[in-house]
PDB file of all heavy atoms in Angstrom:
ATOM      1  N   ASP X 137      16.091  -0.398  -6.513  1.00 95.00           N
ATOM      2  CA  ASP X 137      16.388   0.545  -7.593  1.00 95.00           C
ATOM      3  C   ASP X 137      15.655   0.182  -8.877  1.00 95.00           C
ATOM      4  O   ASP X 137      15.591  -0.993  -9.257  1.00 95.00           O
ATOM      5  CB  ASP X 137      17.891   0.570  -7.884  1.00 95.00           C
ATOM      6  CG  ASP X 137      18.670   1.219  -6.763  1.00 95.00           C
ATOM      7  OD1 ASP X 137      18.070   1.989  -5.997  1.00 95.00           O
ATOM      8  OD2 ASP X 137      19.882   0.942  -6.649  1.00 95.00           O
ATOM      9  N   ILE X 138      15.120   1.184  -9.549  1.00 97.00           N
ATOM     10  CA  ILE X 138      14.519   1.009 -10.867  1.00 97.00           C
ATOM     11  C   ILE X 138      15.079   2.065 -11.805  1.00 97.00           C
ATOM     12  O   ILE X 138      15.692   3.043 -11.366  1.00 97.00           O
ATOM     13  CB  ILE X 138      12.974   1.108 -10.837  1.00 97.00           C
ATOM     14  CG1 ILE X 138      12.535   2.524 -10.448  1.00 97.00           C
ATOM     15  CG2 ILE X 138      12.376   0.060  -9.914  1.00 97.00           C
ATOM     16  CD1 ILE X 138      11.043   2.778 -10.667  1.00 97.00           C
ATOM     17  N   ASP X 139      14.883   1.861 -13.086  1.00 98.00           N
ATOM     18  CA  ASP X 139      15.332   2.809 -14.097  1.00 98.00           C
ATOM     19  C   ASP X 139      14.185   3.636 -14.661  1.00 98.00           C
ATOM     20  O   ASP X 139      14.364   4.796 -15.023  1.00 98.00           O
ATOM     21  CB  ASP X 139      16.011   2.055 -15.251  1.00 98.00           C
ATOM     22  CG  ASP X 139      17.202   1.262 -14.775  1.00 98.00           C
ATOM     23  OD1 ASP X 139      18.253   1.877 -14.552  1.00 98.00           O
ATOM     24  OD2 ASP X 139      17.079   0.035 -14.621  1.00 98.00           O
ATOM     25  N   VAL X 140      13.015   3.009 -14.777  1.00 98.00           N
ATOM     26  CA  VAL X 140      11.861   3.666 -15.403  1.00 98.00           C
ATOM     27  C   VAL X 140      10.611   3.381 -14.583  1.00 98.00           C
ATOM     28  O   VAL X 140      10.365   2.241 -14.174  1.00 98.00           O
ATOM     29  CB  VAL X 140      11.648   3.158 -16.849  1.00 98.00           C
ATOM     30  CG1 VAL X 140      10.394   3.772 -17.460  1.00 98.00           C
ATOM     31  CG2 VAL X 140      12.860   3.485 -17.723  1.00 98.00           C
ATOM     32  N   LEU X 141       9.808   4.419 -14.346  1.00 98.00           N
ATOM     33  CA  LEU X 141       8.483   4.281 -13.732  1.00 98.00           C
ATOM     34  C   LEU X 141       7.439   4.593 -14.776  1.00 98.00           C
ATOM     35  O   LEU X 141       7.477   5.657 -15.409  1.00 98.00           O
ATOM     36  CB  LEU X 141       8.330   5.248 -12.553  1.00 98.00           C
ATOM     37  CG  LEU X 141       6.905   5.415 -12.012  1.00 98.00           C
ATOM     38  CD1 LEU X 141       6.395   4.125 -11.386  1.00 98.00           C
ATOM     39  CD2 LEU X 141       6.831   6.573 -11.012  1.00 98.00           C
ATOM     40  N   VAL X 142       6.488   3.675 -14.970  1.00 98.00           N
ATOM     41  CA  VAL X 142       5.359   3.900 -15.870  1.00 98.00           C
ATOM     42  C   VAL X 142       4.084   3.961 -15.035  1.00 98.00           C
ATOM     43  O   VAL X 142       3.645   2.953 -14.472  1.00 98.00           O
ATOM     44  CB  VAL X 142       5.240   2.784 -16.929  1.00 98.00           C
ATOM     45  CG1 VAL X 142       4.042   3.052 -17.842  1.00 98.00           C
ATOM     46  CG2 VAL X 142       6.517   2.665 -17.739  1.00 98.00           C
ATOM     47  N   ASN X 143       3.509   5.147 -14.948  1.00 98.00           N
ATOM     48  CA  ASN X 143       2.254   5.330 -14.218  1.00 98.00           C
ATOM     49  C   ASN X 143       1.091   5.098 -15.178  1.00 98.00           C
ATOM     50  O   ASN X 143       0.730   5.976 -15.966  1.00 98.00           O
ATOM     51  CB  ASN X 143       2.186   6.741 -13.630  1.00 98.00           C
ATOM     52  CG  ASN X 143       3.002   6.875 -12.374  1.00 98.00           C
ATOM     53  OD1 ASN X 143       2.879   6.077 -11.448  1.00 98.00           O
ATOM     54  ND2 ASN X 143       3.858   7.881 -12.325  1.00 98.00           N
ATOM     55  N   ASN X 144       0.514   3.917 -15.095  1.00 98.00           N
ATOM     56  CA  ASN X 144      -0.573   3.542 -15.986  1.00 98.00           C
ATOM     57  C   ASN X 144      -1.878   3.295 -15.242  1.00 98.00           C
ATOM     58  O   ASN X 144      -2.959   3.354 -15.834  1.00 98.00           O
ATOM     59  CB  ASN X 144      -0.180   2.281 -16.764  1.00 98.00           C
ATOM     60  CG  ASN X 144      -1.332   1.682 -17.528  1.00 98.00           C
ATOM     61  OD1 ASN X 144      -1.783   2.213 -18.540  1.00 98.00           O
ATOM     62  ND2 ASN X 144      -1.852   0.556 -17.030  1.00 98.00           N
ATOM     63  N   ALA X 145      -1.828   3.032 -13.943  1.00 96.00           N
ATOM     64  CA  ALA X 145      -3.033   2.706 -13.177  1.00 96.00           C
ATOM     65  C   ALA X 145      -4.025   3.860 -13.213  1.00 96.00           C
ATOM     66  O   ALA X 145      -3.644   5.028 -13.093  1.00 96.00           O
ATOM     67  CB  ALA X 145      -2.664   2.371 -11.738  1.00 96.00           C
ATOM     68  N   GLY X 146      -5.295   3.520 -13.382  1.00 95.00           N
ATOM     69  CA  GLY X 146      -6.330   4.540 -13.396  1.00 95.00           C
ATOM     70  C   GLY X 146      -7.652   3.947 -13.833  1.00 95.00           C
ATOM     71  O   GLY X 146      -7.735   2.783 -14.217  1.00 95.00           O
ATOM     72  N   PHE X 147      -8.698   4.761 -13.773  1.00 92.00           N
ATOM     73  CA  PHE X 147     -10.003   4.315 -14.244  1.00 92.00           C
ATOM     74  C   PHE X 147     -10.789   5.514 -14.752  1.00 92.00           C
ATOM     75  O   PHE X 147     -10.403   6.668 -14.521  1.00 92.00           O
ATOM     76  CB  PHE X 147     -10.770   3.574 -13.144  1.00 92.00           C
ATOM     77  CG  PHE X 147     -11.411   4.478 -12.117  1.00 92.00           C
ATOM     78  CD1 PHE X 147     -12.768   4.777 -12.186  1.00 92.00           C
ATOM     79  CD2 PHE X 147     -10.674   5.027 -11.079  1.00 92.00           C
ATOM     80  CE1 PHE X 147     -13.367   5.600 -11.249  1.00 92.00           C
ATOM     81  CE2 PHE X 147     -11.255   5.850 -10.133  1.00 92.00           C
ATOM     82  CZ  PHE X 147     -12.615   6.138 -10.225  1.00 92.00           C
ATOM     83  N   GLY X 148     -11.880   5.230 -15.453  1.00 91.00           N
ATOM     84  CA  GLY X 148     -12.687   6.291 -16.026  1.00 91.00           C
ATOM     85  C   GLY X 148     -14.122   6.258 -15.538  1.00 91.00           C
ATOM     86  O   GLY X 148     -14.568   5.281 -14.929  1.00 91.00           O
ATOM     87  N   ALA X 149     -14.827   7.329 -15.810  1.00 90.00           N
ATOM     88  CA  ALA X 149     -16.255   7.408 -15.494  1.00 90.00           C
ATOM     89  C   ALA X 149     -16.893   8.352 -16.498  1.00 90.00           C
ATOM     90  O   ALA X 149     -16.332   9.391 -16.825  1.00 90.00           O
ATOM     91  CB  ALA X 149     -16.482   7.909 -14.073  1.00 90.00           C
ATOM     92  N   ALA X 150     -18.076   7.965 -16.981  1.00 89.00           N
ATOM     93  CA  ALA X 150     -18.802   8.791 -17.951  1.00 89.00           C
ATOM     94  C   ALA X 150     -20.108   9.237 -17.315  1.00 89.00           C
ATOM     95  O   ALA X 150     -21.083   8.483 -17.263  1.00 89.00           O
ATOM     96  CB  ALA X 150     -19.065   7.997 -19.227  1.00 89.00           C
ATOM     97  N   VAL X 151     -20.113  10.458 -16.835  1.00 93.00           N
ATOM     98  CA  VAL X 151     -21.266  10.989 -16.112  1.00 93.00           C
ATOM     99  C   VAL X 151     -21.389  12.481 -16.414  1.00 93.00           C
ATOM    100  O   VAL X 151     -20.377  13.183 -16.424  1.00 93.00           O
ATOM    101  CB  VAL X 151     -21.104  10.808 -14.578  1.00 93.00           C
ATOM    102  CG1 VAL X 151     -22.397  11.157 -13.857  1.00 93.00           C
ATOM    103  CG2 VAL X 151     -20.663   9.395 -14.225  1.00 93.00           C
ATOM    104  N   PRO X 152     -22.604  12.987 -16.657  1.00 95.00           N
ATOM    105  CA  PRO X 152     -22.761  14.427 -16.809  1.00 95.00           C
ATOM    106  C   PRO X 152     -22.283  15.166 -15.557  1.00 95.00           C
ATOM    107  O   PRO X 152     -22.414  14.656 -14.441  1.00 95.00           O
ATOM    108  CB  PRO X 152     -24.277  14.604 -17.006  1.00 95.00           C
ATOM    109  CG  PRO X 152     -24.759  13.277 -17.487  1.00 95.00           C
ATOM    110  CD  PRO X 152     -23.885  12.262 -16.830  1.00 95.00           C
ATOM    111  N   VAL X 153     -21.744  16.357 -15.749  1.00 96.00           N
ATOM    112  CA  VAL X 153     -21.271  17.153 -14.619  1.00 96.00           C
ATOM    113  C   VAL X 153     -22.365  17.304 -13.565  1.00 96.00           C
ATOM    114  O   VAL X 153     -22.114  17.195 -12.349  1.00 96.00           O
ATOM    115  CB  VAL X 153     -20.799  18.544 -15.104  1.00 96.00           C
ATOM    116  CG1 VAL X 153     -20.524  19.461 -13.922  1.00 96.00           C
ATOM    117  CG2 VAL X 153     -19.550  18.416 -15.965  1.00 96.00           C
ATOM    118  N   GLU X 154     -23.571  17.527 -14.020  1.00 97.00           N
ATOM    119  CA  GLU X 154     -24.695  17.740 -13.112  1.00 97.00           C
ATOM    120  C   GLU X 154     -24.942  16.547 -12.187  1.00 97.00           C
ATOM    121  O   GLU X 154     -25.393  16.715 -11.049  1.00 97.00           O
ATOM    122  CB  GLU X 154     -25.960  18.005 -13.929  1.00 97.00           C
ATOM    123  CG  GLU X 154     -27.227  18.219 -13.120  1.00 97.00           C
ATOM    124  CD  GLU X 154     -28.458  18.343 -14.003  1.00 97.00           C
ATOM    125  OE1 GLU X 154     -28.297  18.570 -15.225  1.00 97.00           O
ATOM    126  OE2 GLU X 154     -29.577  18.214 -13.475  1.00 97.00           O
ATOM    127  N   LEU X 155     -24.613  15.356 -12.665  1.00 96.00           N
ATOM    128  CA  LEU X 155     -25.026  14.141 -11.958  1.00 96.00           C
ATOM    129  C   LEU X 155     -23.893  13.372 -11.296  1.00 96.00           C
ATOM    130  O   LEU X 155     -24.162  12.412 -10.559  1.00 96.00           O
ATOM    131  CB  LEU X 155     -25.749  13.193 -12.933  1.00 96.00           C
ATOM    132  CG  LEU X 155     -26.994  13.745 -13.631  1.00 96.00           C
ATOM    133  CD1 LEU X 155     -27.560  12.710 -14.591  1.00 96.00           C
ATOM    134  CD2 LEU X 155     -28.045  14.172 -12.612  1.00 96.00           C
ATOM    135  N   ILE X 156     -22.667  13.745 -11.527  1.00 95.00           N
ATOM    136  CA  ILE X 156     -21.580  12.942 -10.963  1.00 95.00           C
ATOM    137  C   ILE X 156     -21.587  13.048  -9.440  1.00 95.00           C
ATOM    138  O   ILE X 156     -21.782  14.125  -8.870  1.00 95.00           O
ATOM    139  CB  ILE X 156     -20.201  13.350 -11.539  1.00 95.00           C
ATOM    140  CG1 ILE X 156     -19.164  12.289 -11.187  1.00 95.00           C
ATOM    141  CG2 ILE X 156     -19.773  14.727 -11.064  1.00 95.00           C
ATOM    142  CD1 ILE X 156     -17.912  12.340 -12.031  1.00 95.00           C
ATOM    143  N   GLU X 157     -21.415  11.909  -8.797  1.00 94.00           N
ATOM    144  CA  GLU X 157     -21.456  11.877  -7.341  1.00 94.00           C
ATOM    145  C   GLU X 157     -20.108  12.318  -6.765  1.00 94.00           C
ATOM    146  O   GLU X 157     -19.050  11.994  -7.328  1.00 94.00           O
ATOM    147  CB  GLU X 157     -21.798  10.466  -6.869  1.00 94.00           C
ATOM    148  CG  GLU X 157     -23.194  10.026  -7.287  1.00 94.00           C
ATOM    149  CD  GLU X 157     -23.555   8.652  -6.775  1.00 94.00           C
ATOM    150  OE1 GLU X 157     -22.675   7.997  -6.154  1.00 94.00           O
ATOM    151  OE2 GLU X 157     -24.702   8.231  -6.968  1.00 94.00           O
ATOM    152  N   PRO X 158     -20.122  13.040  -5.663  1.00 96.00           N
ATOM    153  CA  PRO X 158     -18.870  13.515  -5.075  1.00 96.00           C
ATOM    154  C   PRO X 158     -17.877  12.390  -4.796  1.00 96.00           C
ATOM    155  O   PRO X 158     -16.671  12.569  -4.990  1.00 96.00           O
ATOM    156  CB  PRO X 158     -19.325  14.192  -3.776  1.00 96.00           C
ATOM    157  CG  PRO X 158     -20.729  14.639  -4.067  1.00 96.00           C
ATOM    158  CD  PRO X 158     -21.305  13.581  -4.958  1.00 96.00           C
ATOM    159  N   ASP X 159     -18.370  11.238  -4.352  1.00 96.00           N
ATOM    160  CA  ASP X 159     -17.459  10.127  -4.072  1.00 96.00           C
ATOM    161  C   ASP X 159     -16.754   9.655  -5.339  1.00 96.00           C
ATOM    162  O   ASP X 159     -15.568   9.310  -5.305  1.00 96.00           O
ATOM    163  CB  ASP X 159     -18.219   8.957  -3.440  1.00 96.00           C
ATOM    164  CG  ASP X 159     -18.576   9.222  -1.985  1.00 96.00           C
ATOM    165  OD1 ASP X 159     -18.033  10.181  -1.403  1.00 96.00           O
ATOM    166  OD2 ASP X 159     -19.410   8.473  -1.428  1.00 96.00           O
ATOM    167  N   THR X 160     -17.482   9.625  -6.462  1.00 95.00           N
ATOM    168  CA  THR X 160     -16.869   9.229  -7.729  1.00 95.00           C
ATOM    169  C   THR X 160     -15.821  10.247  -8.169  1.00 95.00           C
ATOM    170  O   THR X 160     -14.730   9.875  -8.620  1.00 95.00           O
ATOM    171  CB  THR X 160     -17.936   9.077  -8.824  1.00 95.00           C
ATOM    172  OG1 THR X 160     -18.884   8.083  -8.429  1.00 95.00           O
ATOM    173  CG2 THR X 160     -17.304   8.670 -10.148  1.00 95.00           C
ATOM    174  N   ALA X 161     -16.144  11.529  -8.018  1.00 97.00           N
ATOM    175  CA  ALA X 161     -15.186  12.579  -8.388  1.00 97.00           C
ATOM    176  C   ALA X 161     -13.921  12.472  -7.547  1.00 97.00           C
ATOM    177  O   ALA X 161     -12.800  12.560  -8.064  1.00 97.00           O
ATOM    178  CB  ALA X 161     -15.829  13.949  -8.214  1.00 97.00           C
ATOM    179  N   ARG X 162     -14.089  12.267  -6.244  1.00 97.00           N
ATOM    180  CA  ARG X 162     -12.916  12.136  -5.371  1.00 97.00           C
ATOM    181  C   ARG X 162     -12.088  10.915  -5.746  1.00 97.00           C
ATOM    182  O   ARG X 162     -10.856  10.964  -5.781  1.00 97.00           O
ATOM    183  CB  ARG X 162     -13.366  12.054  -3.905  1.00 97.00           C
ATOM    184  CG  ARG X 162     -13.617  13.407  -3.260  1.00 97.00           C
ATOM    185  CD  ARG X 162     -13.805  13.260  -1.770  1.00 97.00           C
ATOM    186  NE  ARG X 162     -15.096  12.646  -1.467  1.00 97.00           N
ATOM    187  CZ  ARG X 162     -16.210  13.323  -1.239  1.00 97.00           C
ATOM    188  NH1 ARG X 162     -16.193  14.655  -1.292  1.00 97.00           N
ATOM    189  NH2 ARG X 162     -17.331  12.707  -0.966  1.00 97.00           N
ATOM    190  N   GLU X 163     -12.767   9.801  -6.042  1.00 97.00           N
ATOM    191  CA  GLU X 163     -12.051   8.576  -6.385  1.00 97.00           C
ATOM    192  C   GLU X 163     -11.260   8.735  -7.678  1.00 97.00           C
ATOM    193  O   GLU X 163     -10.140   8.228  -7.798  1.00 97.00           O
ATOM    194  CB  GLU X 163     -13.043   7.413  -6.509  1.00 97.00           C
ATOM    195  CG  GLU X 163     -12.375   6.062  -6.644  1.00 97.00           C
ATOM    196  CD  GLU X 163     -13.358   4.910  -6.690  1.00 97.00           C
ATOM    197  OE1 GLU X 163     -14.574   5.151  -6.476  1.00 97.00           O
ATOM    198  OE2 GLU X 163     -12.926   3.774  -6.958  1.00 97.00           O
ATOM    199  N   LEU X 164     -11.828   9.447  -8.649  1.00 97.00           N
ATOM    200  CA  LEU X 164     -11.115   9.689  -9.902  1.00 97.00           C
ATOM    201  C   LEU X 164      -9.823  10.460  -9.661  1.00 97.00           C
ATOM    202  O   LEU X 164      -8.767  10.108 -10.197  1.00 97.00           O
ATOM    203  CB  LEU X 164     -12.013  10.447 -10.884  1.00 97.00           C
ATOM    204  CG  LEU X 164     -13.075   9.623 -11.594  1.00 97.00           C
ATOM    205  CD1 LEU X 164     -14.131  10.526 -12.213  1.00 97.00           C
ATOM    206  CD2 LEU X 164     -12.444   8.747 -12.678  1.00 97.00           C
ATOM    207  N   PHE X 165      -9.902  11.506  -8.856  1.00 98.00           N
ATOM    208  CA  PHE X 165      -8.701  12.292  -8.592  1.00 98.00           C
ATOM    209  C   PHE X 165      -7.724  11.548  -7.682  1.00 98.00           C
ATOM    210  O   PHE X 165      -6.509  11.635  -7.863  1.00 98.00           O
ATOM    211  CB  PHE X 165      -9.066  13.651  -7.987  1.00 98.00           C
ATOM    212  CG  PHE X 165      -9.369  14.694  -9.024  1.00 98.00           C
ATOM    213  CD1 PHE X 165     -10.667  14.921  -9.454  1.00 98.00           C
ATOM    214  CD2 PHE X 165      -8.341  15.428  -9.605  1.00 98.00           C
ATOM    215  CE1 PHE X 165     -10.943  15.866 -10.434  1.00 98.00           C
ATOM    216  CE2 PHE X 165      -8.613  16.378 -10.580  1.00 98.00           C
ATOM    217  CZ  PHE X 165      -9.918  16.595 -10.992  1.00 98.00           C
TER     218      PHE X 165
END
C-alpha cells in the first residue's frame, strides 16, 4: 500500500521534426 504516486521518470530529446528517428519518437512516448 502507498498513499502517493509521483510519476517523475522520463527523458528528453531535442531534434527537428524532420529528422527525429522513429525509434526515438517511440521511446519518448
Side-chain angles (χ1 to χ4, degrees):
D137 290 338
I138 66 168
D139 300 282
V140 176
L141 168 66
V142 180
N143 281 309
N144 170 72
F147 78 100
V151 189
V153 171
E154 179 185 344
L155 302 178
I156 193 162
E157 295 182 356
D159 285 347
T160 300
R162 276 190 288 268
E163 189 177 353
L164 283 164
F165 274 93

